[in-house]
Amino acid sequence: MDKKTDEKKLLNEAKEARKNAYVPFSGFTVGAALLTKSGKIYRGCNIESSVMSPSLCAERVALAKAISEGEKDFVAIAIAGALEGETSKEPCYPCGVCRQTLSEHVKLSAFTVITEENGKEITCTLEDLLPNAFIFEK
Ligand code: THU
């Protein structure tokens, strides 16, 4: 399969995941699909809470599912977001918290972030989105 087909496939997984978003407060649904080196895909959607701070972004839900299943090698994440019932037209990039969280589990320059604008895929690396990332060293 070629690169464009793979990106489209991962974005479609993110769109499927979006359908499960629990967003009674913002009404903004996000789906994410995280691809592992072995080819497995972990989906996530955003899950909001009435007390706000425990709300979870789609990307971190997908990452937590994968990490908790023992996954360690990640290749890419696709993200689709839009208001409930609408198709995603604007790109949906990961928020700052998700960028930092993802950065601790991937090589920044080798991890691809995929989103789309008006039906066309956009790709960049996590390094593009999080230059000079905070690195914790003991
Ligand atoms: N959200 C995500 O799930 N991922 C992002 O990258 C940006 C924001 C969620 C959080 C909240 O439930 C809703 O979108 C509106 O901010």
Side-chain angles (χ1 to χ4, degrees), residues 9-10 34-42 71 73 75:
K9 190 181 163 223
L10 205 58
L34 179 65
L35 177 65
T36 69
K37 204 171 163 188
S38 66
K40 229 173 146 183
I41 293 170
Y42 288 85
E71 300 288 354
D73 294 312
V75 176

Side-chain angles (χ1 to χ4, degrees), residues 40-94:
K40 229 173 146 183
I41 293 170
Y42 288 85
R43 291 179 181 178
C45 62
N46 52 336
I47 306 168
E48 296 182 347
S49 161
S50 57
V51 287
M52 303 302 174
S53 57
S55 290
L56 297 165
C57 288
E59 297 89 326
R60 277 176 294 131
V61 170
L63 184 68
K65 283 171 69 180
I67 296 281
S68 62
E69 292 301 320
E71 300 288 354
K72 287 187 169 35
D73 294 312
F74 304 104
V75 176
I77 192 165
I79 306 154
L83 284 172
E84 226 165 359
E86 295 186 6
T87 49
S88 50
K89 292 187 191 76
E90 301 291 321
C92 184
Y93 289 106

